Amino acid sequence: MFRTLVILCGFVAVLTTGAAARDEISGPVAAEILRVIDGDTLLVEAQPWPQQKMEVYVRIRGIDAPELKSKCERIREAAFDAHRALEALTATSRKIQLTHISGDKYFGRIVADVVLSDGRSAGHDLLLAGLVQTYDGGRKPQQVCETN
């Protein structure tokens, strides 16, 4: 039991520390979606080892969705569109695979490619639909609110 706890703590530490953001676990790690947070973030129950499960927030690698809490109505509407699209992509099967897993710059979250049950990439599908932008983890450009 103690050994399992140490291994699990190590997995959490690797995936959630900023220092480990450069380190990557290739995966795949099986996961079940518990909740879609927004257009680029999920709460999942990951199973890094047999008989071991943990809840973790996953930011989808390579994309950035508009912000749900934006002051700009147009950006909020685009954010809801991305959120609904991610919910629709994951509605038929809550089972996913996480690959290319690394720590995020924010504590408690990881960055990973999200592979849907049919083998498609959630991030790629959202990009193709024009609902999100590409994102490399750097500084985000300021979103301008245009009013008509």
Side-chain angles (χ1 to χ4, degrees), residues 66-108:
E67 297 302 320
L68 288 168
K69 296 181 180 178
S70 174
K71 293 178 181 176
C72 176
E73 183 178 350
R74 182 187 58 79
I75 293 172
R76 279 194 316 274
E77 288 173 3
F80 282 115
D81 289 345
H83 182 261
R84 283 189 292 270
L86 185 53
E87 284 182 327
L89 282 174
T90 60
T92 57
S93 176
R94 306 300 275 180
K95 304 286 186 187
I96 58 171
Q97 297 285 318
L98 304 175
T99 61
H100 304 107
I101 306 160
S102 60
D104 189 24
K105 59 186 172 184
Y106 301 108
F107 180 79

